[in-house]
Amino acid sequence: MCRNIKTLFNFEPPATEDEIHASALQFVRKLSGFNKPSQPNEAAFERAVAEVAEAARKLLVSLHTHSPARDREVEAEKARERSRLRFGS
């Protein structure tokens, strides 16, 4: 899976529309192999992004957990630490 797609479930505050759209965009880019589609493919690309974003929204509101909500800053610090361990400095 694309490393740029972030987990969006079980955060406080919940994922924003921008975060959901960004994940959908990354997913469609990965599937299509396009960073920016050509003009003839643009409509299909944008439609796919909208449909993936809608599916993601539906998924996020339907999921349930008993785990406490994660803190974005704590998770960001964990990611930075993993990066430091992996790449140094």
Side-chain angles (χ1 to χ4, degrees):
M1 182 54 77
C2 184
R3 288 179 295 188
N4 293 330
I5 298 176
K6 307 293 186 226
T7 300
L8 298 178
F9 177 61
N10 196 27
F11 279 99
E12 191 58 46
T16 65
E17 287 299 314
D18 287 342
E19 289 172 315
I20 293 170
H21 182 269
S23 285
L25 178 60
Q26 285 295 85
F27 184 72
V28 172
R29 283 177 174 167
K30 185 70 169 182
L31 286 177
S32 68
F34 299 140
N35 187 38
K36 181 170 177 19
S38 63
Q39 192 172 5
N41 292 324
E42 193 170 0
F45 187 89
E46 292 301 323
R47 184 173 49 254
V49 171
E51 290 173 359
V52 169
E54 180 59 27
R57 252 183 246 99
K58 288 178 182 178
L59 174 65
L60 291 172
V61 299
S62 67
L63 294 174
H64 301 281
T65 184
H66 295 291
S67 299
R70 293 179 272 185
D71 182 280
R72 291 176 190 282
E73 283 304 312
V74 170
E75 295 301 317
E77 182 54 39
K78 287 180 188 177
R80 285 190 289 274
E81 182 60 26
R82 284 191 302 270
S83 180
R84 279 192 288 275
L85 292 172
R86 183 174 181 194
F87 301 111
S89 58

Coordinates of all heavy atoms in Angstrom, one line a residue:
M1 N 0.8 -1.2 0.0 CA 0.0 0.0 0.0 C 0.9 1.2 0.0 O 2.0 1.2 0.5 CB -0.9 0.0 1.2 CG -1.9 1.1 1.3 SD -3.0 1.4 0.0 CE -4.1 0.1 0.2
C2 N 0.4 2.3 -0.5 CA 1.1 3.5 -0.6 C 1.4 4.1 0.8 O 0.5 4.2 1.7 CB 0.3 4.6 -1.4 SG 1.1 6.1 -1.7
R3 N 2.7 4.4 1.0 CA 3.1 4.9 2.4 C 2.5 6.2 2.7 O 2.4 6.6 3.8 CB 4.6 5.0 2.4 CG 5.2 3.6 2.5 CD 6.7 3.8 2.6 NE 7.1 4.4 1.3 CZ 8.4 4.6 1.0 NH1 9.3 4.2 1.8 NH2 8.7 5.1 -0.2
N4 N 2.0 7.0 1.7 CA 1.5 8.3 1.9 C 0.0 8.3 2.4 O -0.5 9.3 2.8 CB 1.6 9.2 0.7 CG 3.0 9.5 0.4 OD1 3.9 9.6 1.3 ND2 3.3 9.7 -0.9
I5 N -0.6 7.2 2.3 CA -2.0 7.1 2.8 C -2.0 6.8 4.3 O -1.4 5.9 4.8 CB -2.8 6.0 2.0 CG1 -2.8 6.3 0.6 CG2 -4.2 5.8 2.6 CD1 -3.5 5.2 -0.3
K6 N -2.6 7.7 5.0 CA -2.6 7.7 6.5 C -3.8 7.0 7.0 O -4.9 7.1 6.4 CB -2.5 9.1 7.1 CG -1.3 9.9 6.5 CD 0.0 9.3 6.9 CE 1.1 10.2 6.5 NZ 2.2 9.5 5.9
T7 N -3.7 6.4 8.2 CA -4.9 5.9 8.9 C -5.8 7.0 9.3 O -5.3 8.0 9.9 CB -4.4 5.1 10.1 OG1 -3.6 4.0 9.7 CG2 -5.6 4.6 10.9
L8 N -7.0 6.9 9.1 CA -8.0 8.0 9.4 C -9.0 7.6 10.5 O -9.7 8.5 11.0 CB -8.8 8.4 8.2 CG -7.9 9.0 7.0 CD1 -8.8 9.3 5.8 CD2 -7.1 10.2 7.5
F9 N -9.0 6.4 10.9 CA -10.0 5.9 11.8 C -9.6 6.1 13.3 O -8.4 5.9 13.6 CB -10.4 4.4 11.6 CG -11.3 3.9 12.6 CD1 -12.6 4.4 12.7 CD2 -11.0 2.8 13.4 CE1 -13.5 3.8 13.6 CE2 -11.8 2.3 14.3 CZ -13.1 2.8 14.4
N10 N -10.5 6.4 14.1 CA -10.3 6.4 15.6 C -9.3 7.5 16.0 O -8.5 7.3 16.9 CB -9.9 5.1 16.1 CG -10.0 4.9 17.6 OD1 -10.9 5.6 18.2 ND2 -9.2 4.1 18.2
F11 N -9.5 8.7 15.5 CA -8.8 9.9 15.9 C -9.7 10.9 16.6 O -10.9 11.0 16.2 CB -8.0 10.5 14.8 CG -6.7 9.8 14.4 CD1 -6.7 8.9 13.4 CD2 -5.6 10.1 15.2 CE1 -5.5 8.3 13.1 CE2 -4.4 9.4 14.9 CZ -4.4 8.5 13.8
E12 N -9.2 11.7 17.5 CA -9.9 12.8 18.0 C -9.1 14.0 17.8 O -8.0 14.1 18.2 CB -10.1 12.5 19.5 CG -11.1 13.5 20.2 CD -12.5 13.4 19.5 OE1 -13.0 12.4 19.3 OE2 -13.0 14.5 19.3
P13 N -9.6 15.0 17.1 CA -10.9 15.0 16.4 C -10.9 14.1 15.2 O -9.9 13.7 14.7 CB -11.1 16.5 15.9 CG -9.7 17.0 15.8 CD -8.9 16.2 16.8
P14 N -12.1 13.7 14.7 CA -12.2 12.8 13.6 C -11.6 13.3 12.3 O -11.3 14.5 12.2 CB -13.8 12.6 13.4 CG -14.4 13.1 14.6 CD -13.4 14.1 15.2
A15 N -11.4 12.5 11.3 CA -10.8 12.9 10.1 C -11.6 13.9 9.4 O -12.8 13.9 9.4 CB -10.7 11.7 9.1
T16 N -10.9 14.9 8.8 CA -11.6 16.0 8.1 C -11.9 15.6 6.7 O -11.3 14.6 6.1 CB -10.7 17.3 8.1 OG1 -9.6 17.0 7.3 CG2 -10.3 17.7 9.5
E17 N -12.7 16.3 6.0 CA -13.0 16.1 4.6 C -11.8 16.2 3.8 O -11.6 15.4 2.8 CB -14.1 17.1 4.1 CG -15.5 16.8 4.6 CD -16.0 15.4 4.1 OE1 -15.8 15.1 2.9 OE2 -16.5 14.7 5.0
D18 N -10.9 17.2 4.1 CA -9.6 17.3 3.4 C -8.7 16.1 3.5 O -8.1 15.7 2.6 CB -8.9 18.6 3.9 CG -9.5 19.9 3.4 OD1 -10.3 19.8 2.5 OD2 -9.2 20.9 4.0
E19 N -8.7 15.5 4.7 CA -7.9 14.3 4.9 C -8.4 13.1 4.1 O -7.7 12.4 3.6 CB -7.8 14.0 6.4 CG -7.0 14.9 7.2 CD -7.1 14.7 8.7 OE1 -8.2 14.5 9.2 OE2 -6.0 14.7 9.4
I20 N -9.8 13.0 4.1 CA -10.4 11.9 3.4 C -10.1 12.1 1.9 O -9.8 11.1 1.2 CB -11.9 11.8 3.7 CG1 -12.1 11.4 5.2 CG2 -12.6 10.9 2.7 CD1 -13.5 11.6 5.6
H21 N -10.3 13.3 1.4 CA -10.0 13.6 0.0 C -8.6 13.3 -0.4 O -8.3 12.7 -1.4 CB -10.4 15.0 -0.4 CG -10.2 15.3 -1.8 ND1 -9.1 15.8 -2.3 CD2 -11.1 15.1 -2.9 CE1 -9.2 16.0 -3.6 NE2 -10.4 15.5 -4.0
A22 N -7.6 13.7 0.5 CA -6.2 13.5 0.2 C -5.9 12.0 0.1 O -5.1 11.6 -0.7 CB -5.4 14.2 1.3
S23 N -6.5 11.2 1.0 CA -6.2 9.8 1.0 C -6.8 9.2 -0.3 O -6.2 8.3 -0.9 CB -6.8 9.1 2.2 OG -6.1 9.4 3.4
A24 N -8.0 9.6 -0.6 CA -8.6 9.1 -1.9 C -7.8 9.5 -3.1 O -7.6 8.6 -4.0 CB -10.0 9.7 -2.0
L25 N -7.3 10.7 -3.1 CA -6.4 11.1 -4.2 C -5.2 10.3 -4.3 O -4.8 9.8 -5.4 CB -6.1 12.6 -4.0 CG -5.2 13.2 -5.1 CD1 -5.8 13.1 -6.5 CD2 -4.9 14.7 -4.7
Q26 N -4.5 10.0 -3.2 CA -3.3 9.2 -3.2 C -3.6 7.8 -3.7 O -2.9 7.2 -4.4 CB -2.7 9.2 -1.8 CG -2.0 10.4 -1.4 CD -0.8 10.7 -2.3 OE1 -0.9 11.2 -3.4 NE2 0.4 10.2 -1.8
F27 N -4.8 7.2 -3.2 CA -5.1 5.9 -3.6 C -5.4 5.8 -5.1 O -4.9 4.9 -5.8 CB -6.4 5.5 -2.8 CG -6.8 4.1 -3.1 CD1 -6.1 3.0 -2.6 CD2 -8.0 3.8 -3.8 CE1 -6.5 1.7 -2.8 CE2 -8.4 2.5 -4.1 CZ -7.7 1.5 -3.5
V28 N -6.1 6.8 -5.7 CA -6.4 6.8 -7.1 C -5.1 7.0 -7.9 O -4.9 6.4 -8.9 CB -7.5 7.8 -7.5 CG1 -7.6 7.9 -9.0 CG2 -8.8 7.4 -6.8
R29 N -4.2 7.8 -7.4 CA -2.9 8.0 -8.1 C -2.1 6.7 -8.1 O -1.5 6.4 -9.1 CB -2.1 9.1 -7.3 CG -2.5 10.5 -7.6 CD -1.7 11.5 -6.7 NE -2.0 12.8 -7.1 CZ -1.6 13.9 -6.4 NH1 -0.9 13.7 -5.2 NH2 -1.9 15.1 -6.8
K30 N -2.1 6.0 -7.0 CA -1.4 4.7 -6.9 C -2.0 3.7 -7.9 O -1.3 3.1 -8.6 CB -1.5 4.2 -5.5 CG -0.6 3.0 -5.3 CD 0.8 3.3 -5.3 CE 1.7 2.1 -4.8 NZ 3.1 2.5 -4.8
L31 N -3.3 3.6 -7.9 CA -4.0 2.6 -8.8 C -3.8 3.0 -10.3 O -3.5 2.1 -11.1 CB -5.5 2.6 -8.5 CG -6.0 1.9 -7.3 CD1 -7.5 2.1 -7.1 CD2 -5.6 0.5 -7.2
S32 N -3.9 4.3 -10.6 CA -3.8 4.7 -12.0 C -2.4 4.8 -12.5 O -2.2 4.7 -13.7 CB -4.6 6.0 -12.2 OG -3.9 7.0 -11.6
G33 N -1.5 5.1 -11.6 CA -0.1 5.4 -12.1 C 0.1 6.8 -12.5 O 1.1 7.2 -13.0
F34 N -1.0 7.6 -12.4 CA -0.9 9.0 -12.8 C -0.8 9.9 -11.5 O -1.5 9.8 -10.6 CB -2.2 9.5 -13.4 CG -2.6 8.8 -14.7 CD1 -3.9 8.5 -15.0 CD2 -1.6 8.5 -15.7 CE1 -4.3 7.8 -16.1 CE2 -2.0 7.8 -16.8 CZ -3.3 7.5 -17.1
N35 N 0.2 10.9 -11.6 CA 0.2 11.9 -10.6 C -0.8 13.0 -10.9 O -1.6 13.5 -10.1 CB 1.6 12.5 -10.5 CG 1.7 13.4 -9.3 OD1 1.1 13.2 -8.2 ND2 2.4 14.5 -9.5
K36 N -0.8 13.3 -12.2 CA -1.8 14.2 -12.8 C -2.2 13.6 -14.1 O -1.4 13.4 -15.0 CB -1.2 15.6 -13.0 CG -2.2 16.6 -13.5 CD -1.6 18.0 -13.5 CE -2.5 19.1 -14.1 NZ -3.9 18.9 -14.3
P37 N -3.5 13.3 -14.2 CA -3.9 12.6 -15.5 C -3.9 13.6 -16.7 O -4.0 14.8 -16.5 CB -5.4 12.2 -15.1 CG -5.8 13.2 -14.1 CD -4.6 13.5 -13.3
S38 N -3.9 13.0 -17.8 CA -4.0 13.8 -19.1 C -5.4 14.3 -19.2 O -6.3 13.8 -18.5 CB -3.7 12.9 -20.3 OG -4.6 11.9 -20.4
Q39 N -5.6 15.3 -20.0 CA -6.9 15.9 -20.1 C -8.0 14.9 -20.5 O -9.1 14.9 -19.9 CB -6.9 17.1 -21.1 CG -8.1 17.9 -21.1 CD -8.0 19.1 -22.0 OE1 -7.0 19.3 -22.7 NE2 -9.0 20.0 -21.9
P40 N -7.8 14.0 -21.4 CA -8.8 13.0 -21.7 C -9.2 12.1 -20.5 O -10.3 11.5 -20.4 CB -8.2 12.2 -22.9 CG -7.2 13.0 -23.4 CD -6.7 13.8 -22.3
N41 N -8.3 11.9 -19.6 CA -8.5 11.0 -18.4 C -8.9 11.8 -17.2 O -9.2 11.2 -16.2 CB -7.2 10.2 -18.1 CG -6.9 9.2 -19.2 OD1 -7.8 8.6 -19.8 ND2 -5.6 9.0 -19.5
E42 N -8.9 13.1 -17.2 CA -9.2 13.9 -16.1 C -10.5 13.6 -15.4 O -10.7 13.5 -14.2 CB -9.0 15.4 -16.4 CG -8.9 16.2 -15.1 CD -8.5 17.6 -15.4 OE1 -8.3 18.0 -16.6 OE2 -8.5 18.4 -14.5
A43 N -11.6 13.6 -16.2 CA -12.9 13.4 -15.7 C -13.0 12.0 -15.0 O -13.6 11.9 -13.9 CB -14.0 13.5 -16.8
A44 N -12.5 11.0 -15.6 CA -12.6 9.6 -15.0 C -11.8 9.6 -13.7 O -12.2 9.0 -12.7 CB -12.0 8.6 -15.9
F45 N -10.6 10.3 -13.7 CA -9.7 10.4 -12.5 C -10.5 11.1 -11.4 O -10.5 10.6 -10.3 CB -8.5 11.1 -12.9 CG -7.4 11.1 -11.8 CD1 -6.4 10.1 -11.8 CD2 -7.3 12.2 -10.9 CE1 -5.4 10.2 -10.8 CE2 -6.3 12.2 -10.0 CZ -5.4 11.2 -9.9
E46 N -11.0 12.2 -11.7 CA -11.7 13.0 -10.6 C -13.0 12.3 -10.1 O -13.3 12.3 -8.9 CB -12.1 14.4 -11.1 CG -10.9 15.3 -11.4 CD -10.1 15.5 -10.1 OE1 -10.7 15.7 -9.0 OE2 -8.9 15.6 -10.3
R47 N -13.7 11.6 -11.0 CA -14.8 10.8 -10.6 C -14.4 9.7 -9.6 O -15.0 9.4 -8.6 CB -15.6 10.2 -11.8 CG -16.8 9.5 -11.4 CD -17.7 9.1 -12.7 NE -16.9 8.4 -13.7 CZ -16.5 8.9 -14.9 NH1 -16.8 10.2 -15.2 NH2 -15.8 8.2 -15.7
A48 N -13.3 9.0 -10.0 CA -12.8 7.9 -9.1 C -12.4 8.5 -7.7 O -12.7 7.9 -6.7 CB -11.6 7.3 -9.8
V49 N -11.7 9.7 -7.7 CA -11.4 10.3 -6.4 C -12.6 10.5 -5.6 O -12.7 10.2 -4.4 CB -10.6 11.6 -6.6 CG1 -10.4 12.3 -5.3 CG2 -9.2 11.3 -7.3
A50 N -13.6 11.1 -6.2 CA -14.9 11.4 -5.5 C -15.6 10.1 -5.0 O -16.0 10.1 -3.8 CB -15.9 12.1 -6.4
E51 N -15.6 9.1 -5.8 CA -16.2 7.8 -5.4 C -15.4 7.1 -4.3 O -16.0 6.6 -3.3 CB -16.3 6.9 -6.6 CG -17.4 7.4 -7.6 CD -17.4 6.5 -8.8 OE1 -16.6 5.6 -9.0 OE2 -18.3 6.9 -9.7
V52 N -14.1 7.1 -4.3 CA -13.3 6.5 -3.3 C -13.4 7.3 -2.0 O -13.5 6.8 -0.9 CB -11.8 6.5 -3.7 CG1 -10.9 6.1 -2.5 CG2 -11.6 5.5 -4.8
A53 N -13.5 8.7 -2.1 CA -13.7 9.5 -0.9 C -15.0 9.2 -0.2 O -15.1 9.1 1.0 CB -13.6 11.0 -1.3
E54 N -16.0 9.0 -1.0 CA -17.4 8.7 -0.5 C -17.4 7.3 0.2 O -17.9 7.2 1.3 CB -18.4 8.8 -1.6 CG -19.8 8.4 -1.1 CD -20.4 9.4 -0.1 OE1 -19.9 10.5 0.0 OE2 -21.2 8.9 0.7
A55 N -16.7 6.4 -0.4 CA -16.6 5.0 0.2 C -15.8 5.1 1.5 O -16.2 4.5 2.5 CB -15.9 4.1 -0.8
A56 N -14.8 5.9 1.5 CA -14.0 6.1 2.7 C -14.8 6.7 3.8 O -14.8 6.3 5.0 CB -12.8 6.9 2.5
R57 N -15.6 7.8 3.5 CA -16.5 8.4 4.5 C -17.5 7.4 5.1 O -17.7 7.3 6.3 CB -17.3 9.5 3.8 CG -16.9 10.9 4.1 CD -17.7 12.0 3.5 NE -16.9 12.7 2.6 CZ -16.8 12.5 1.3 NH1 -17.6 11.7 0.6 NH2 -16.0 13.2 0.5
K58 N -18.1 6.6 4.2 CA -19.1 5.6 4.7 C -18.4 4.6 5.6 O -19.0 4.2 6.6 CB -19.7 4.9 3.5 CG -20.7 5.8 2.7 CD -21.2 5.0 1.5 CE -22.2 5.9 0.7 NZ -22.7 5.1 -0.5
L59 N -17.2 4.2 5.2 CA -16.5 3.2 6.0 C -16.2 3.8 7.4 O -16.4 3.2 8.4 CB -15.2 2.8 5.3 CG -14.2 1.9 6.2 CD1 -14.9 0.6 6.5 CD2 -12.9 1.8 5.4
L60 N -15.6 5.0 7.4 CA -15.2 5.6 8.7 C -16.4 5.8 9.6 O -16.2 5.6 10.9 CB -14.5 7.0 8.4 CG -13.2 6.9 7.8 CD1 -12.6 8.2 7.4 CD2 -12.2 6.1 8.7
V61 N -17.6 6.2 9.1 CA -18.7 6.4 10.0 C -19.3 5.1 10.5 O -20.0 5.0 11.5 CB -19.8 7.3 9.4 CG1 -19.2 8.7 9.2 CG2 -20.4 6.7 8.2
S62 N -19.1 4.0 9.7 CA -19.7 2.7 10.1 C -18.8 1.8 11.0 O -19.3 0.9 11.6 CB -20.0 1.9 8.9 OG -18.9 1.5 8.2
L63 N -17.5 2.2 11.2 CA -16.6 1.4 12.0 C -16.8 1.8 13.5 O -17.1 2.9 13.8 CB -15.2 1.7 11.6 CG -14.7 1.3 10.3 CD1 -13.3 1.8 10.0 CD2 -14.8 -0.2 10.1
H64 N -16.6 0.8 14.3 CA -16.8 0.9 15.8 C -15.6 0.3 16.5 O -15.0 -0.7 16.0 CB -18.1 0.3 16.3 CG -19.3 0.8 15.7 ND1 -19.9 2.0 16.0 CD2 -20.0 0.3 14.6 CE1 -20.9 2.2 15.3 NE2 -21.0 1.2 14.4
T65 N -15.2 0.9 17.6 CA -14.1 0.3 18.4 C -14.3 0.6 19.8 O -15.0 1.6 20.2 CB -12.7 0.9 17.9 OG1 -11.7 0.3 18.6 CG2 -12.6 2.4 18.1
H66 N -13.7 -0.2 20.7 CA -13.7 0.0 22.1 C -12.4 0.7 22.6 O -12.3 1.1 23.7 CB -13.9 -1.3 22.9 CG -15.3 -1.9 22.6 ND1 -16.5 -1.3 23.1 CD2 -15.6 -3.0 21.9 CE1 -17.5 -2.1 22.7 NE2 -17.0 -3.1 22.0
S67 N -11.5 0.8 21.7 CA -10.2 1.4 22.0 C -10.4 3.0 22.1 O -11.2 3.6 21.4 CB -9.2 1.2 20.8 OG -9.0 -0.2 20.7
P68 N -9.6 3.5 23.0 CA -9.6 5.0 23.1 C -9.2 5.7 21.8 O -8.3 5.1 21.1 CB -8.7 5.3 24.3 CG -7.9 4.1 24.4 CD -8.6 3.0 23.9
A69 N -9.7 6.8 21.5 CA -9.3 7.6 20.3 C -7.8 7.9 20.4 O -7.3 8.2 21.5 CB -10.1 8.8 20.2
R70 N -7.2 7.8 19.2 CA -5.7 8.2 19.2 C -5.6 9.7 19.1 O -6.4 10.4 18.5 CB -5.1 7.5 18.0 CG -5.1 6.0 18.1 CD -4.5 5.4 16.9 NE -5.6 5.2 16.0 CZ -5.5 4.5 14.8 NH1 -4.3 4.1 14.4 NH2 -6.5 4.4 14.0
D71 N -4.4 10.1 19.6 CA -4.1 11.5 19.5 C -3.2 11.8 18.3 O -2.2 11.1 18.2 CB -3.3 11.9 20.8 CG -3.0 13.4 20.9 OD1 -1.9 13.7 20.3 OD2 -3.7 14.1 21.5
R72 N -3.5 12.7 17.5 CA -2.7 13.0 16.3 C -1.3 13.3 16.6 O -0.4 12.9 15.8 CB -3.4 14.1 15.5 CG -4.7 13.7 14.9 CD -5.4 14.9 14.2 NE -6.8 14.5 13.9 CZ -7.1 13.8 12.8 NH1 -6.2 13.3 12.0 NH2 -8.4 13.5 12.6
E73 N -1.0 14.1 17.6 CA 0.3 14.5 17.9 C 1.2 13.3 18.4 O 2.3 13.2 18.0 CB 0.4 15.6 19.0 CG 0.0 17.0 18.4 CD 0.9 17.4 17.2 OE1 2.2 17.3 17.4 OE2 0.4 17.8 16.2
V74 N 0.6 12.5 19.2 CA 1.3 11.3 19.6 C 1.6 10.4 18.5 O 2.8 9.9 18.3 CB 0.5 10.5 20.7 CG1 1.1 9.2 21.0 CG2 0.3 11.4 22.0
E75 N 0.7 10.2 17.6 CA 0.9 9.4 16.4 C 1.9 10.0 15.5 O 2.8 9.3 14.9 CB -0.4 9.1 15.6 CG -1.4 8.3 16.4 CD -0.9 6.9 16.9 OE1 -0.3 6.2 16.0 OE2 -1.2 6.5 18.0
A76 N 1.9 11.3 15.3 CA 2.9 12.0 14.5 C 4.3 11.8 15.1 O 5.3 11.6 14.3 CB 2.5 13.5 14.3
E77 N 4.4 11.9 16.4 CA 5.7 11.7 17.0 C 6.2 10.3 16.8 O 7.4 10.1 16.6 CB 5.7 12.1 18.5 CG 7.0 12.0 19.2 CD 8.1 12.8 18.5 OE1 7.9 13.9 18.0 OE2 9.3 12.2 18.5
K78 N 5.3 9.3 16.9 CA 5.7 7.9 16.7 C 6.2 7.7 15.3 O 7.2 7.0 15.0 CB 4.5 7.0 16.9 CG 4.1 6.8 18.4 CD 2.9 5.9 18.4 CE 2.3 5.7 19.8 NZ 1.1 4.9 19.8
A79 N 5.6 8.4 14.3 CA 6.0 8.3 12.9 C 7.3 8.9 12.7 O 8.2 8.4 12.0 CB 4.9 8.9 12.0
R80 N 7.6 10.1 13.4 CA 8.9 10.7 13.2 C 10.0 9.8 13.8 O 11.1 9.7 13.3 CB 8.8 12.1 13.9 CG 8.1 13.2 13.1 CD 8.3 14.5 13.7 NE 7.6 14.7 15.0 CZ 6.3 15.1 15.1 NH1 5.6 15.4 14.0 NH2 5.8 15.3 16.3
E81 N 9.7 9.2 14.9 CA 10.7 8.3 15.6 C 11.0 7.1 14.7 O 12.1 6.7 14.5 CB 10.2 7.8 16.9 CG 11.1 6.9 17.7 CD 12.5 7.6 18.0 OE1 12.6 8.8 18.0 OE2 13.5 6.8 18.1
R82 N 9.9 6.5 14.1 CA 10.2 5.4 13.1 C 11.0 5.9 12.0 O 11.9 5.2 11.5 CB 8.8 4.9 12.6 CG 8.1 4.0 13.6 CD 6.9 3.3 13.0 NE 5.9 4.2 12.4 CZ 4.9 4.7 13.0 NH1 4.7 4.4 14.2 NH2 4.1 5.5 12.3
S83 N 10.8 7.1 11.5 CA 11.6 7.6 10.4 C 13.0 7.8 10.8 O 13.9 7.5 10.1 CB 11.0 9.0 9.9 OG 11.7 9.5 8.9
R84 N 13.2 8.4 12.0 CA 14.6 8.6 12.5 C 15.3 7.2 12.6 O 16.5 7.1 12.2 CB 14.6 9.2 13.9 CG 14.4 10.7 13.8 CD 14.7 11.4 15.2 NE 13.7 11.1 16.2 CZ 12.6 11.8 16.3 NH1 12.3 12.9 15.5 NH2 11.7 11.5 17.2
L85 N 14.7 6.2 13.1 CA 15.3 4.9 13.2 C 15.6 4.3 11.9 O 16.6 3.6 11.7 CB 14.4 3.9 14.0 CG 14.2 4.3 15.5 CD1 13.2 3.4 16.1 CD2 15.5 4.1 16.2
R86 N 14.7 4.5 10.9 CA 14.9 3.9 9.6 C 15.9 4.7 8.8 O 16.7 4.0 8.1 CB 13.5 4.0 8.9 CG 13.5 3.3 7.5 CD 12.2 3.3 6.9 NE 12.3 2.6 5.6 CZ 11.3 2.6 4.7 NH1 10.2 3.2 5.0 NH2 11.4 2.0 3.6
F87 N 15.9 6.0 8.8 CA 16.7 6.8 7.9 C 17.9 7.5 8.7 O 18.7 8.1 8.0 CB 15.9 7.8 7.2 CG 14.9 7.2 6.3 CD1 13.5 7.4 6.7 CD2 15.2 6.4 5.2 CE1 12.5 6.8 5.9 CE2 14.2 5.9 4.4 CZ 12.9 6.0 4.8
G88 N 17.9 7.5 10.0 CA 18.9 8.1 10.7 C 18.7 9.6 10.9 O 17.8 10.2 10.3
S89 N 19.5 10.2 11.8 CA 19.4 11.7 12.1 C 18.1 12.0 12.6 O 17.2 12.4 12.8 CB 19.9 12.6 11.1 OG 19.2 12.5 9.9

